[in-house]
Amino acid sequence: MSHTVAPQQDIRAGVRTTRRSCAGTITALILLIASLGLEAWNIYVRAPWAPVQERPTPIQTITFAQVNPYGVNTFLADDVEPWKREKTMEMIAAAGIGWIKQGFLWSEIEPARGSHWDEKWQQDAWKKYDEIVALAERYGVRIIARLDHTPAWARPPDTTPNTPPTDPEDFANFVATFVERYRGRVQFIQIWNEPNLAVEWGGRVDPAGYARLLEAAYRRAKAVDPNVVILSAPMAMTTEHSDRAMPELDYWRELYRLGAGAYFDIMSASAYGLDQPPTAEPHPDRINVRRIELLRELMVEFGDEHKAVWLNEYGWNAAPDTMDADQLVWRRVTEDQQAAWTPEGIAWMRENLPWVGTVSIWYFRQIGNIPPSDPLYYFRIVDVEFTPRRAYLTVQRDATARQLALPGIYGEMEAPIVAFGTWPRVSDQRAMGGQYIRSDQPGAAIELRFSGSEVTLLLPPVAPRGRLYVEVDGRPASGAGIQRDSAGRAYIDLSSLPVGTREIPIVSGLGSDRPQAEHRVRLTLGSASELAIDGVAVAYRRTYTQFGAYALAGLAGVAAAGILMRRRP
């Protein structure tokens, strides 16, 4: 019987060996696939070759040039319905626009000497302006207030509101009242508009008269609040020299000779492109965007090169080609040209004109009182019904991109730092850019979009106190120095910081094992708290520890699979 049993045993042993061999092969294949999958995932997710984006070295060295460059002219005081003002501000903030230039009409606010009562609406004449200021703070937008428009009691009989006051001190009193009311909330004030046109100055051109008004307003404003910033009136761009107009270059030369250079902090100018691209060469006989360079030469000639230039009105008119040529005061371009040239011009100025600060586009949206038959209608970048035009979309694309902080250092009023609530600027030569922003308002917040792994708050030599709540990507922050309150909110105890602290790490090691990515941090002041900010520093410090660990694990798996597949039964 033994000669028949042995073959059966051999067959069974062979089957078992074959099964073990198949199982080993299957195990090896599974391990190989899993290891290769791990390697592929690791390489795809961590992308070790991904380039690092960093902020180009900023060329702006003038204090008021280091700001969000995007502003718009608004007519919010003319919008009766609050929801329309809200919608307008919402769209401005969503576009990354950091400033509005808004008129505050002296004739409306002080209709009778010393009185601020609106007889028509039977309410405080300040009311709607207070609402506009509060709205801007809520959306993280700063205001450039244009002050002009003389009430009847302060000018000669039978004259228009564009007539200057009989006594400049009456206007100076109004400016002082304005500065006191909005102390720390509206600090950028433009004194009058286009006085080089007779129609804007009571029917005549009078540089000496404007110089007196500017000096009176400047002195009274600074006496109330030394941190207020005075913008000169922008002059109309013109080559006409007549009883009704004076070229802005000639007007400014006369102002400088009169000593007016001592009575403003920022030069205002206008820059319309007419039918020329934003890079068209400047010439004294030509109106275009770069004409402002001729004004800059004049500033340098009179020793004013340390001041920034802000553009009061800027843009192109996209009237239809069916409009009569004699109506096209500003010439015309296509909507595509308007949409392309508006951000292109701002980008060109940021790169080539380091003295240009905020550029206020003319204009954002009107309330419906400008008909389509008027070429002025076609400057808008948002329709009356809140439909965005092409220019709004191109502005939004560029402006929001400028709000993303790449690795580098940013000043307190640059585009990435969006301040909600009251954050007044304070002039201080000890600060990084000669100024800082501060707040002691509970709930006041700073928001920063950044692309990196580290964020450090830079402080001026002003001691902080209280609590600073920190959220990163919508969640409570964690890390060194971060505590939690009873509600689970993350905060930094500002009062416990060592005396003389100039840097506060806010974010550290966020996503450092992965390619550079966008994040958002929000800082909010608690009650009885105070914080001054000189700027922020963003960094990206890439680590490869996890990439290496997963890579080794994957390679080990591949090696193990190879060993299993080479084994013989």
Side-chain angles (χ1 to χ4, degrees):
M1 296 291 293
S2 61
H3 65 281
T4 60
V5 172
Q8 291 178 354
Q9 290 175 338
D10 290 342
I11 291 171
R12 289 170 183 168
V15 170
R16 286 195 296 271
T17 300
T18 301
R19 286 176 177 170
R20 284 198 299 271
S21 177
C22 289
T25 300
I26 292 171
T27 301
L29 286 173
I30 291 173
L31 181 59
L32 178 63
I33 292 171
S35 298
L36 291 175
L38 177 64
E39 289 286 10
W41 173 85
N42 190 34
I43 291 173
Y44 174 76
V45 169
R46 304 187 192 284
W49 60 81
V52 176
Q53 289 183 298
E54 293 186 345
R55 180 185 189 179
T57 302
I59 60 172
Q60 288 76 17
T61 57
I62 299 173
T63 297
F64 295 121
Q66 298 184 72
V67 294
N68 186 329
Y70 275 97
V72 285
N73 282 267
T74 56
F75 310 111
L76 294 170
D78 297 329
D79 252 327
V80 177
E81 298 172 272
W83 76 266
K84 290 183 178 179
R85 294 200 293 264
E86 180 97 25
K87 180 66 176 178
T88 299
M89 197 65 76
E90 178 186 312
M91 292 186 73
I92 288 170
I97 295 167
W99 299 82
I100 60 169
K101 190 169 76 66
Q102 172 65 48
F104 288 73
L105 302 185
W106 180 20
S107 58
E108 281 190 355
I109 296 171
E110 191 181 9
R113 185 187 293 275
S115 172
H116 303 105
W117 183 255
D118 186 335
E119 290 288 347
K120 179 180 178 181
W121 298 103
Q122 289 295 296
Q123 64 180 15
D124 186 344
W126 290 104
K127 183 177 183 295
K128 67 178 178 181
Y129 294 104
D130 289 349
E131 291 171 353
I132 291 169
V133 172
L135 187 63
E137 290 175 338
R138 186 149 52 85
Y139 279 92
V141 175
R142 290 186 180 270
I143 294 176
I144 305 165
R146 168 180 157 178
L147 305 185
D148 57 7
H149 221 254
T150 310
W153 62 266
R155 53 184 163 86
D158 302 319
T159 56
T160 68
N162 288 335
T163 303
T166 304
D167 183 354
E169 289 301 323
D170 287 333
F171 178 68
N173 289 337
F174 167 68
V175 172
T177 302
F178 180 93
V179 172
E180 181 61 47
R181 185 176 190 88
Y182 296 121
R183 180 191 293 269
R185 303 178 71 193
V186 182
Q187 291 181 295
F188 292 79
I189 299 173
Q190 176 185 306
I191 304 301
W192 219 262
N193 185 64
E194 298 182 341
N196 65 319
L197 300 182
V199 70
E200 297 284 354
W201 195 257
R204 64 194 183 106
V205 178
D206 179 18
Y210 177 68
R212 288 191 295 271
L213 185 81
L214 179 63
E215 179 181 354
Y218 180 92
R219 289 186 185 279
R220 292 298 305 282
K222 294 288 187 175
V224 174
D225 181 5
N227 291 306
V228 77
V229 180
I230 300 298
L231 286 76
S232 71
M235 306 306 160
M237 305 171 76
T238 181
T239 58
E240 180 180 342
H241 205 305
S242 67
D243 290 341
R244 67 177 191 172
M246 180 186 290
E248 74 276 25
L249 300 176
D250 295 342
Y251 195 95
W252 266 112
R253 182 173 293 278
E254 185 61 23
L255 284 179
Y256 273 120
R257 286 174 178 163
L258 291 165
Y263 302 111
F264 64 90
D265 303 305
I266 296 173
M267 167 79 80
S268 289
S270 291
Y272 286 106
L274 300 188
D275 55 359
Q276 301 172 58
T279 55
E281 293 285 336
H283 189 278
D285 298 330
R286 190 178 304 136
I287 304 297
N288 58 24
V289 170
R290 289 183 60 190
R291 186 176 173 86
I292 60 173
E293 293 176 47
L294 306 180
L295 180 61
R296 184 64 179 179
E297 292 174 3
L298 191 65
M299 295 175 70
V300 172
E301 178 185 340
F302 283 91
D304 239 3
E305 63 272 14
H306 60 286
K307 294 178 182 176
V309 175
W310 286 18
L311 301 189
N312 155 75
E313 294 174 6
Y314 161 83
W316 285 263
N317 190 278
D321 56 12
T322 54
M323 187 164 282
D324 292 339
D326 59 359
Q327 290 183 271
L328 300 176
V329 180
W330 300 279
R331 312 277 177 85
R332 69 168 298 276
V333 297
T334 65
E335 275 209 74
D336 284 341
Q337 287 174 319
Q338 182 192 50
W341 289 353
T342 301
E344 283 177 13
I346 291 176
W348 189 90
M349 286 185 277
R350 298 302 287 175
E351 293 172 8
N352 297 280
L353 307 180
W355 35 269
V356 172
T358 294
V359 178
S360 292
I361 297 166
W362 182 261
Y363 53 83
F364 190 75
R365 171 188 171 270
Q366 51 110 346
I367 66 166
N369 56 350
I370 305 173
S373 58
D374 186 336
L376 186 62
Y377 179 93
Y378 299 99
F379 276 111
R380 87 287 190 222
I381 64 173
V382 170
D383 282 333
V384 175
E385 301 82 8
F386 297 100
T387 303
R389 309 301 302 181
R390 294 174 201 171
Y392 174 88
L393 300 177
T394 56
V395 163
Q396 182 180 46
R397 185 158 52 247
D398 187 57
T400 54
R402 292 178 185 277
Q403 286 186 313
L404 178 63
L406 299 174
I409 294 177
Y410 297 83
E412 69 290 326
M413 297 184 75
E414 291 195 71
I417 299 179
V418 182
F420 299 89
T422 303
W423 289 88
R425 66 166 293 278
V426 179
S427 180
D428 189 334
Q429 291 307 308
R430 299 174 300 168
M432 181 171 60
Q435 65 177 9
Y436 58 83
I437 57 174
R438 61 163 293 280
S439 184
D440 58 4
Q441 178 189 37
I446 294 290
E447 194 164 285
L448 176 78
R449 284 173 49 231
F450 67 98
S451 181
S453 60
E454 329 282 325
V455 175
T456 301
L457 203 58
L458 307 179
L459 308 185
V462 178
R465 61 184 171 86
R467 290 184 176 184
L468 179 66
Y469 290 93
V470 185
E471 289 182 341
V472 178
D473 294 333
R475 297 183 297 274
S478 59
I482 303 289
Q483 303 180 48
R484 294 293 178 97
D485 66 8
S486 58
R489 296 180 298 174
Y491 72 90
I492 295 171
D493 184 358
L494 299 174
S495 301
S496 68
L497 296 175
V499 175
T501 295
R502 300 296 294 271
E503 296 184 358
I504 303 177
I506 300 296
V507 177
S508 181
L510 181 63
S512 59
D513 63 320
R514 300 192 178 212
Q516 194 174 4
E518 180 179 330
H519 302 282
R520 188 183 300 265
V521 61
R522 187 177 178 93
L523 310 174
T524 306
L525 278 180
S527 59
S529 300
E530 181 177 1
L531 178 66
I533 297 175
D534 207 4
V536 295
V538 175
Y540 174 59
R541 298 188 178 93
R542 183 68 191 265
T543 60
Y544 297 93
T545 304
Q546 291 191 32
F547 172 78
Y550 280 105
L552 289 174
L555 290 174
V558 171
I563 292 171
L564 285 174
M565 294 180 72
R566 287 194 181 96
R567 290 179 60 185
R568 294 289 185 267

